[in-house]
Amino acid sequence: SLINQRRPADGVKLSYTGGSQCDGATQRSTQFHFECNRKAGLGRPVAVFGDCEFVVAWETALACPNRQSVAWSYLFWVLLGAGVYLAVGFGFNVRYRHLPPDVEALPHIDLLRSMGASLLTALATLWALGSSASEAAWGWVV
């Protein structure tokens, strides 16, 4: 579980309960608190405390949230927004501007075409650069 439910970036907690009797009424237990510290690498335990209920604090980068998830989330929302914009613009152009329901009804179709042509040109250039680099490195043509 999380160390702090309101701040997941603090780290995670692993609990072992149901140990042997400690002081008659209390069973032994151990909690590992894996605390986020990006500079700690794998880290190691930094504190152990308790008599019957032990808590081990362990600072490690492995308990930190994955930053890539933010980038994928951002990309998802940008693509979703672009899709909604194109769908609503297409519907508007067909219904109110009386354009035929084909590719020409997409909003800013000329801009989209020029962007597509620019992207294809850039990909072709990268492919040519990659082919010439591999030919120079390996002595054969890809």
Side-chain angles (χ1 to χ4, degrees), residues 3-78:
I3 292 174
N4 184 342
Q5 297 296 328
R6 293 179 186 220
R7 292 180 41 191
D10 285 353
V12 293
K13 172 175 56 174
L14 178 63
S15 300
Y16 291 101
T17 58
S20 61
Q21 293 292 339
C22 178
D23 59 8
T26 307
Q27 290 184 312
R28 293 188 195 278
S29 66
T30 304
Q31 286 189 4
F32 288 90
H33 288 201
F34 296 102
E35 300 168 357
C36 174
N37 181 348
R38 294 197 185 277
K39 296 179 182 176
L42 291 177
R44 62 177 190 188
V46 292
V48 178
F49 47 92
D51 292 327
C52 293
E53 299 172 338
F54 298 98
V55 176
V56 179
W58 190 316
E59 292 183 358
T60 175
L62 298 175
C64 299
N66 188 350
R67 290 184 182 182
Q68 292 177 346
S69 63
V70 174
W72 288 113
S73 175
Y74 177 75
L75 179 63
F76 168 77
W77 288 110
V78 166

Side-chain angles (χ1 to χ4, degrees), residues 81-92:
V84 168
Y85 171 76
L86 290 174
V88 170
F90 179 84
F92 177 84

